[in-house]
């Protein structure tokens, strides 16, 4: 019937020329507009050749639920006003925890369409003003309110069920989950913006010291694993997931500046190009093709690889959506980095560590960097931007040929997945 | 059956469950697709020629979790850190899967809960005010 | 610094080839996914040459706050699943009551970018499951939660304050507001999909009949104005606005099918082209340039006119955002149809009636057709689509040369405005 | 002043209002822009060189509405169809406008409420738990 071309090519190329992040953490005094301004100021402060804010023509704001967290809908024009950008068009994009991953795509297409040359894309979430049960309720709205939520399934619960299925089917065990947390905290300890700028070993030592100081029984930990297996230190959230399997509750914002590639050199000598982008939708876990994989991630990755003309083997650094430890293992398989069921072994072999052949979540990931849900997709892109430009400091991947990186951003339990592939230059 | 004229939506699903004590979903007359969630459009072949289909309520446990930190409405029912509850994915004997509470298992001992075990719908446990699927070991 | 081209041109032209609407009204049994499917089925049933649903490559869902209305976030993948479209990318767009106006723009840019050829854009809102105070609270989240909402200002309240300013400054009076309602109900009475498919005269007669039947005192109405001035029939909501000045609380959905213009004739012989589109952001009323105008509407209109290469005089039919009666008067001035302050006179002269020289809200507008906020922007576009194709039935504008129509969609109290200009062919 | 080191945000705004009984906004040192809402970036010239600025609390009523159907928290305070309250836009004597509750006027007789009338901040009426600007006739 209709002619659908198989090409997925942009009418013109789009580059990232700047990135910024607010601090990630718990900030009682800050509303989401304050966090967004902080991220934007960080972007401006690090933009190689500066810019005139008036040149920004359009903006996108990824946000999951200021509605429920702050009783504030319609956040886009507020952000515009707080950035001094009124009356440019500003639009909020919501795809749960993939909100700003999707927002980035809208920014890319807005430029590729010919409508705009310079677009700001950001995301933010202000989460810590609700108690944990309140946050649990809000995050549950990313699942199906009619057929999932009434069964008591929470966001950690659904990933817990994925973990159980993965452990049933493959060699994955509880220790593998914890190893993801240990690795990502090691990376986070090298990231000054991370909510947990600290290793799990440090956290373990602090707990011992505190017990000593208080004259309480001193735990006898021989390793991080001992600490993480102590139910007092690491209680169950949704078996088989414990506290340290879960990304924290975080306030934060991130943004990037996108421009048409033909003007990128007006902003920086080191732009990063959008090589490929893919997004896909998925169904509730009970309707998933597999209980051990997110089909939307596989589809989104396939499209992004095709558009970029690369394969999984070409990816040299990746930020993946480790909202829970199991999610990183599943992501590493869905993205084709490892065969299905081989993610845990790759972890054992240190392949995904900062000095491995496939470094994953150099920023600390959502687990250690923090997970202000609406900001996470763009914060991932900011990390790859810094890695490809060789400016990631202590956590810089040690690879002189670093050229291609990937981000993998998941909404809810796989209802949305966005994969972006970035290339240096 | 008079009931078969109900619209394909969650209101009907819950009314069947709580009033008629039946697990009613839909079947596509064009391609045979079965869905326990009553949807008005076949997601396999996009046909709009669907009919109500009764599921037996028998199935097996495909995966599960035991939840210690629940939403407010589960906390209000007394669940929590010391009393986790089990929810999971049930594969119905007709093929489709569905999410459900799993009753009659010990949330404090998940290692004793066996995936693959046979389950039946626990219709009598369903709260008409807050309907949700509940299964128990067969 | 950066080179910003002044062109606002799409890389390729985009056409609308189909439109659909659910019924608009109060539907206790229907969730928003049911409403969206209903709108999509209406679209399919009226698509001139049919289509294969599998050809749709991408979709956008405009929705204001299923989060607060249904405790359901992340609606996009649910809509995809319910339409049988998983795994295509689907994204929710939120700009308050302009959500689906903004969604349409994203759909336009997605095609113009070269990424997709065939895109579904819709919107929906399920509002009637909350009591009126609850709806008032939800709608208030479109205003500023920090500096507007705490002062007790509601959504009708802010438009009430605009009405008062307009009456202070210009000749506008309370009767003019009511005349908007009377006109739009006349149009709505000719629209079978309208929530109020009835004139205000009919409503008045019903009230008289009911009083007679019940043996109650029979009101002595000589005209609709008498009826509308009866505080029993038309109570104050936010002075100077009464019940009949306000769009109703509505459940509903609408959608349109966008395609690259070069394949439009695969779907229909009567496509409608996107000639121009503009969006702008605005500030809270207290920070507006004028208390009698929405600056975002003026900016969005200027951009849309420029892109389409037309002026206000060229617009032959318009759907404007009459969330309140005063909003239609202000819109008719902001769009340049009439000079500032002349909107009320134009109304007196019947210029905006169905048989006037500038017919506005032929569908009945938000006032009579209903205002499921996330759906309204696309429902407006559906109306202009039908008008330009000469298929608006009883409410068809009687103009054999009808070629150019406009939609004006406002988010909140002017924080967002989207203006689209459509051209026949 | 020690207080001038507070961050430019709503928490500081409300603390000034309820604890210090002052209406504190910001002034741009680069262009002079005044804003009663404390924003960290000048929206006129995009400078980040702002300072706290105290507003006198005097102004005039620019427009208003009398609200019969209020949000839940106003209904809980006894406002409603028979007891509408007045909210409006106040132009501060320093120039900027701001939204506020207007006290000391009869919400049932809006025709007697005069735009242009002088107003003063009613600091004593502000609820520390739910701070919002309140003005009354001067
Ligand atoms: Zn079928
Ligand atoms: Zn300034």
């Amino acid at each position: 019937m209709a002619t659908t071309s198989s090409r997925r090519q942009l009418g013109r190329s789009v580059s990232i020329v700047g990135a910024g992040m607010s601090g990630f953490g718990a900030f009682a005094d800050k509303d989401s507009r304050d966090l967004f301004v902080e991220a934007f100021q960080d972007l401006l402060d690090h933009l190689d050749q500066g810019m005139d804010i008036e040149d920004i023509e359009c903006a996108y704001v990824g946000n999951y639920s200021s509605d429920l967290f702050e009783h504030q809908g319609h956040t886009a024009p507020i952000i515009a006003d707080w950035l001094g950008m009124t009356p440019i068009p500003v639009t909020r994009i919501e795809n749960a925890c993939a909100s700003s991953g999707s927002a980035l795509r809208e920014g890319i297409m807005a430029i590729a369409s010919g409508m705009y040359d310079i677009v700001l894309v950001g995301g933010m979430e202000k989460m810590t003003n609700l108690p944990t049960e309140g946050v649990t309720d809000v995050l549950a709205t990313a699942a199906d309110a009619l057929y999932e939520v009434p069964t008591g399934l929470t966001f950690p619960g659904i990933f817990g069920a994925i973990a159980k299925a993965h452990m049933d089917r493959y060699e994955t065990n509880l220790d593998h989950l914890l190893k993801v947390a240990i690795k990502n905290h090691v990376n986070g300890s090298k990231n000054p913006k991370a909510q947990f700028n600290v290793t799990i070993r440090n956290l373990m030592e602090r707990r011992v010291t505190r017990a000593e100081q208080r004259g309480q029984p001193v735990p006898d930990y021989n390793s991080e694993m001992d600490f993480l297996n102590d139910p007092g230190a690491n209680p169950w959230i949704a078996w088989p997931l414990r506290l340290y399997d879960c990304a924290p509750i975080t306030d934060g914002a991130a943004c990037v500046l996108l421009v048409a590639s033909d003007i990128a050199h007006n902003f920086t000598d080191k732009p990063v190009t959008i090589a490929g982008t893919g997004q896909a939708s998925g169904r509730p876990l009970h309707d998933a093709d597999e209980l051990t994989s997110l089909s939307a991630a596989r589809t989104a990755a396939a499209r992004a690889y095709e558009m970029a003309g690369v394969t999984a083997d070409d990816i040299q650094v990746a930020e993946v959506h480790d909202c829970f430890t199991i999610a990183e293992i599943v992501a590493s398989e869905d993205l084709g980095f490892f065969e299905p069921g081989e993610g845990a072994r790759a972890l054992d072999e240190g392949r995904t560590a900062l000095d491995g052949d496939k470094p994953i979540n150099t920023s600390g990931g959502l687990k250690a960097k923090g997970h202000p849900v609406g900001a996470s997709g763009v914060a991932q892109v900011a990390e790859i931007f810094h890695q490809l430009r060789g400016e990631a400091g202590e956590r810089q991947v040690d690879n002189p040929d670093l050229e291609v990186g990937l981000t993998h951003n998941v909404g809810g339990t796989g209802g949305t997945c966005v994969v972006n592939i970035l290339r240096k230059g | 059956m008079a009931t078969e004229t109900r619209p394909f939506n969650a209101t009907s699903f819950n009314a069947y469950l709580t009033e008629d004590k039946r697990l009613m979903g839909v079947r596509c007359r064009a391609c045979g697709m079965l869905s326990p969630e009553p949807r008005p459009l076949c997601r396999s072949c996009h046909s709009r020629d669907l009919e109500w289909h009764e599921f037996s309520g028998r199935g097996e446990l495909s995966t599960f979790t035991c939840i210690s930190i629940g939403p407010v409405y589960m906390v209000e029912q007394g669940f929590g850190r010391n009393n986790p509850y089990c929810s999971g994915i049930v594969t119905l004997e007709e093929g489709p899967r569905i999410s459900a509470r799993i009753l009659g298992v010990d949330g404090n001992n998940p290692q004793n809960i066996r995936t693959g075990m046979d389950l039946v719908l626990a219709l009598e446990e369903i709260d008409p005010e807050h309907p949700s699927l509940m299964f128990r070991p067969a």
Side-chain angles (χ1 to χ4, degrees), chain A, chain B:
Chain A
M1 262 253 359
T3 70
T4 56
S5 63
S6 69
R7 91 191 123 91
R8 302 269 173 192
Q9 291 304 328
L10 298 174
R12 51 185 193 153
S13 177
V14 177
S15 296
I16 307 174
V17 294
M21 260 180 75
S22 72
F24 275 22
F27 308 110
D29 283 2
K30 294 179 187 174
D31 295 294
S32 59
R33 66 188 76 180
D34 304 317
L35 296 165
F36 201 106
V37 171
E38 200 179 313
F40 182 62
Q41 291 183 337
D42 187 48
L43 186 158
L44 289 180
D45 289 343
H46 295 91
L47 201 57
D48 299 342
Q49 299 175 25
M51 79 170 305
D52 185 344
I53 296 178
E54 301 274 343
D55 288 341
I56 297 174
E57 299 166 282
C58 170
Y60 291 93
V61 175
N63 174 255
Y64 174 36
S65 200
S66 284
D67 314 57
L68 292 165
F69 284 121
E70 297 179 297
H71 222 69
Q72 178 69 69
H74 204 195
T75 50
I78 293 175
I79 298 299
D81 184 18
W82 244 247
L83 298 180
M85 291 186 185
T86 312
I88 69 165
V90 185
T91 295
R92 172 188 169 205
I93 306 296
E94 187 269 312
N95 265 343
C97 323
S99 293
S100 60
S102 287
L104 187 86
R105 283 171 54 85
E106 297 310 309
I108 293 167
M109 291 192 283
I111 291 174
S113 76
M115 282 282 278
Y116 304 109
D117 291 334
I118 304 176
V119 174
L120 180 73
V121 177
M124 83 286 184
E125 210 79 46
K126 167 68 186 175
M127 302 175 73
T128 66
N129 40 353
L130 290 185
T132 302
E133 310 81 52
V135 174
T136 300
D137 278 6
V138 173
L139 295 179
T141 66
D144 189 318
L146 301 181
Y147 300 106
E148 283 183 300
V149 178
T151 69
L153 279 169
T154 57
F155 183 43
I158 295 172
F159 275 97
I162 292 173
K164 168 62 176 160
H166 210 272
M167 296 193 305
D168 274 359
R169 182 167 177 183
Y170 303 121
E171 312 277 287
T172 311
N173 60 40
L174 290 173
D175 282 358
H176 289 117
L177 304 182
L178 300 174
K179 283 180 184 173
V180 174
I182 292 169
K183 169 181 78 69
N184 288 351
H185 271 264
V186 167
N187 294 349
S189 75
K190 302 172 196 286
N191 182 353
K193 288 278 177 79
Q195 182 168 11
F196 292 108
N197 181 219
V198 61
T199 63
I200 287 184
R201 176 162 290 274
N202 294 147
L203 292 167
M204 175 184 86
E205 288 161 356
R206 283 187 202 169
R207 189 175 171 92
V208 170
T209 306
R210 203 167 51 233
E212 287 169 351
Q213 287 169 343
R214 294 183 182 169
Q216 291 165 342
V218 177
D220 181 26
Y221 300 139
N222 286 312
S223 70
E224 290 110 315
M225 275 300 171
D226 283 355
F227 168 73
L228 291 173
N229 278 301
D230 172 1
N234 190 19
W236 297 108
I237 302 295
W239 185 92
L241 303 181
R242 289 173 274 206
L243 180 63
Y244 279 87
D245 289 301
C246 306
I249 294 167
T250 310
D251 303 330
C255 59
V256 294
L257 189 65
L258 300 181
V259 305
S261 295
D262 54 16
I263 61 167
H265 285 276
N266 294 349
F267 298 86
T268 178
D269 293 334
K270 295 196 291 180
V272 166
T273 305
I274 305 290
T277 178
Q279 178 176 328
S281 54
R283 293 169 177 159
L285 180 63
H286 61 250
D287 275 334
D289 304 336
E290 306 266 4
L291 299 175
T292 52
S293 167
L294 303 183
S295 64
R298 297 197 309 271
T299 305
R303 291 182 180 170
Y305 288 142
E306 184 194 359
M307 183 172 158
V310 302
T311 70
D313 290 344
D314 298 316
I315 304 301
Q316 296 163 302
V317 56
E319 288 284 299
V320 313
H321 198 92
D322 61 325
C323 47
F324 301 94
T325 50
I326 183 64
E328 176 170 317
I329 294 172
V330 168
S332 71
E333 298 168 1
D334 286 340
L335 291 166
F337 295 167
F338 312 115
E339 292 297 309
E342 298 292 319
R345 188 196 303 180
L347 195 65
D348 283 337
E349 294 169 350
R351 297 183 61 185
T352 59
L354 194 51
D355 59 358
D357 66 310
K358 211 73 169 180
I360 290 181
N361 286 331
T362 57
S363 69
L366 313 184
K367 174 67 197 84
K369 185 183 52 187
H371 184 26
V373 291
S376 284
V378 161
Q380 293 176 322
V381 170
E383 175 70 9
I384 299 298
F385 175 78
H386 294 310
Q387 287 286 353
L388 295 181
R389 286 160 50 108
E391 59 193 18
E394 267 194 89
R395 64 186 192 282
Q396 179 65 46
V397 170
D398 184 19
N399 178 347
D401 300 321
L402 199 60
E403 281 209 355
V404 182
L406 174 149
T407 63
H408 159 279
N409 185 203
V410 174
T413 55
T416 300
C417 188
V418 179
V419 172
N420 289 301
I421 298 173
L422 311 185
R423 191 190 295 275
K424 185 165 128 183
Chain B
M1 272 181 290
T3 51
E4 290 198 352
T5 62
R6 288 187 183 162
F8 301 119
N9 63 27
T11 305
S12 302
F13 177 84
N14 287 326
Y16 276 124
L17 204 58
T18 57
E19 294 162 20
D20 298 15
K21 305 286 179 194
R22 301 163 73 191
L23 174 52
M24 293 289 281
V26 291
R27 182 182 168 279
C28 174
R29 289 198 181 103
C31 78
M33 183 272 318
L34 285 176
S35 167
E37 300 137 321
R39 51 186 74 237
L41 195 153
C42 173
R43 68 177 174 198
S44 292
C45 75
H46 306 115
S47 166
R48 288 179 263 169
D49 184 18
L50 294 110
E51 63 186 358
W52 283 104
H53 180 85
E54 181 165 4
F55 287 83
S56 71
R58 286 184 294 272
E60 66 169 55
L61 183 63
S62 291
T63 188
F64 68 91
T65 176
C66 293
I67 298 178
S68 301
I69 306 296
V72 173
Y73 71 94
M74 292 302 288
V75 173
E76 285 169 358
Q77 289 176 50
F79 293 102
R81 208 171 278 281
N82 297 317
N83 185 24
Y85 60 92
C86 181
S87 296
I89 309 290
V90 179
T91 301
L92 301 171
E93 67 174 357
E94 294 87 351
R97 289 191 299 242
I98 192 74
S99 296
R101 276 282 303 287
I102 311 298
L103 308 178
V105 297
D106 180 3
N108 274 313
N109 286 292
Q111 67 284 359
N112 295 342
I113 302 175
R114 199 171 45 78
T115 49
M117 73 172 161
D118 291 331
L119 299 170
V120 290
L121 198 57
L123 280 166
E124 68 289 353
E125 300 289 343
I126 296 172
D127 175 2
E129 294 301 304
H130 300 100
S132 87
L133 288 182
M134 308 253 192
F135 284 79
R136 57 178 168 72

